[in-house]
Amino acid sequence: MHYSYSSLAPPGGVDHHNRCLGNRAWCVKDICGIVCVIMTWLLILFAEFVVCGLILLPSYRSYTAFSTVNMIIFQALAFLAFVSHLRTMLSDPGAVPRGNATKEMIEQMGYREGQMFYKCPKCCSIKPDRAHHCSVCQRCIRKMDHHCPWVNNCVGENNQKYFVLFTFYIASISVHTLFLVLSQFAECVRNDWRTCSPYSPPATIFLLLFLTFEGLMFGIFTIIMLATQLNAILNDQTGIEQLKKEEARWAKKSRLKSIQSVFGRFSLAWFSPFTEPSSRTKFSPHFYSV
């Protein structure tokens, strides 16, 4: 049987597809995803405005310790959530190089005559185990869990840690925000609505109610996503594998090994979006983008 081989890789071997910032960052050029990212940032900025401008700073002189401690907690969580979001969005999720299913590349990989392998007809790539094609990223992604428009990227082998941290910190912000809103409502009811806020009573009520709705919506959504991600990691089965009910063709790891494959060995670096896990799944170098 004869096969036709073609290569999508540009001359020089460097693929600029889904790349930006001088090929240093991964960027998916999807309008829906970009809109969702902007909405996410605007909602975080709105929470910053209400928490800082209405709840904490106006009461700074009366409740110095309360305002200072909660301001530090809120700003730390917001900063870590924002960095986690950026790293999830701008990290290569584990894209298989396009056009590596050429006759020459297949020979270099050591495949023998008649040996079976999976080839993606959409991006002309040899698919490693557990890789799936994403129609938005237009690439095959190693250990693809799902494509998330809120981070405008796939969640895969290389950026799952950052996505888990993003959901964790957004969920933490949401819970903290709801606590601050309840405290402010209690303060206003106990004293006077006209003196408990720098804004008029109707504006104050609107801002607090909208922030409550945002906190509940984001809190419930991210807690569910966080639980789903942790369940998938512990069971060594991605979301798309669970959805398709795929039988495990790979040797399943223990729960400890599965956690370490995403976060690395246990340390405080687990909670840092600035560090990369030291433990990675071993694939042929031909399955990694240049």
Side-chain angles (χ1 to χ4, degrees):
M1 183 178 293
H2 297 282
Y3 294 91
S4 61
Y5 300 95
S6 61
S7 176
L8 299 176
V14 179
D15 191 350
H16 297 282
H17 180 253
N18 284 348
R19 291 285 178 176
C20 62
L21 301 177
N23 209 44
R24 291 190 297 271
W26 175 270
C27 303
V28 179
K29 301 171 181 65
D30 176 59
I31 297 298
C32 176
I34 292 172
V35 170
C36 289
V37 166
I38 293 173
M39 286 179 59
T40 301
W41 291 349
L42 289 177
L43 288 170
I44 293 176
L45 286 175
F46 174 79
E48 282 273 358
F49 166 72
V50 177
V51 169
C52 298
L54 191 154
I55 299 176
L56 295 179
L57 290 182
S59 60
Y60 182 79
R61 294 181 180 177
S62 301
Y63 304 96
T64 304
F66 177 85
S67 297
T68 302
V69 170
N70 281 283
M71 180 66 77
I72 292 173
I73 293 173
F74 184 84
Q75 295 302 334
L77 292 175
F79 175 72
L80 290 170
F82 181 71
V83 174
S84 299
H85 185 269
L86 279 180
R87 294 220 63 178
T88 307
M89 179 176 64
L90 299 178
S91 296
D92 181 343
V96 178
R98 297 190 306 163
N100 68 351
T102 62
K103 186 175 182 179
E104 295 77 13
M105 192 67 71
I106 291 170
E107 291 175 352
Q108 289 180 28
M109 291 182 190
Y111 286 106
R112 298 182 299 274
E113 185 72 24
Q115 186 175 355
M116 187 180 71
F117 58 85
Y118 294 96
K119 173 186 173 182
C120 177
K122 297 178 181 178
C123 57
C124 194
S125 299
I126 297 177
K127 295 171 66 174
D129 286 341
R130 310 186 70 180
H132 293 84
H133 186 87
C134 174
S135 58
V136 180
C137 295
Q138 299 178 10
R139 298 289 288 273
C140 285
I141 308 297
R142 300 187 308 274
K143 287 187 69 175
M144 174 181 170
D145 187 88
H146 69 288
H147 184 94
C148 178
W150 296 104
V151 297
N152 191 33
N153 201 359
C154 274
V155 177
E157 180 189 69
N158 291 352
N159 66 349
Q160 189 172 26
K161 172 191 173 180
Y162 308 130
F163 183 74
V164 171
L165 289 180
F166 170 66
T167 58
F168 172 73
Y169 287 124
I170 289 294
S172 301
I173 287 176
S174 300
V175 173
H176 187 225
T177 298
L178 291 173
F179 163 74
L180 293 175
V181 169
L182 289 175
S183 299
Q184 185 67 18
F185 265 119
E187 175 69 17
C188 292
V189 170
R190 186 168 55 249
N191 297 315
D192 189 345
W193 282 92
R194 289 170 295 182
T195 59
C196 72
S197 166
Y199 305 100
S200 65
T204 300
I205 293 173
F206 171 79
L207 291 172
L208 291 177
L209 287 178
F210 192 88
L211 185 59
T212 301
F213 171 76
E214 179 186 341
L216 286 172
M217 181 182 68
F218 268 79
I220 293 172
F221 176 73
T222 52
I223 287 173
I224 292 174
M225 284 301 303
L226 177 61
T228 301
Q229 287 294 300
L230 292 177
N231 177 69
I233 293 170
L234 290 173
N235 292 321
D236 193 18
Q237 190 173 30
T238 65
I240 196 168
E241 289 165 351
Q242 293 176 351
L243 186 65
K244 291 185 174 182
K245 298 181 179 179
E246 295 183 2
E247 293 185 7
R249 299 187 302 272
W250 59 93
K252 281 201 169 187
K253 307 183 188 75
S254 66
R255 293 193 170 188
L256 177 60
K257 293 294 184 183
S258 295
I259 285 284
Q260 289 179 344
S261 69
V262 175
F263 294 95
R265 294 187 179 276
F266 179 74
S267 67
L268 289 178
W270 274 24
F271 303 95
S272 171
F274 296 99
T275 60
E276 296 182 1
S278 57
S279 175
R280 288 293 189 195
T281 304
K282 300 299 182 183
F283 282 111
S284 165
H286 300 294
F287 292 136
Y288 289 85
S289 295
V290 179

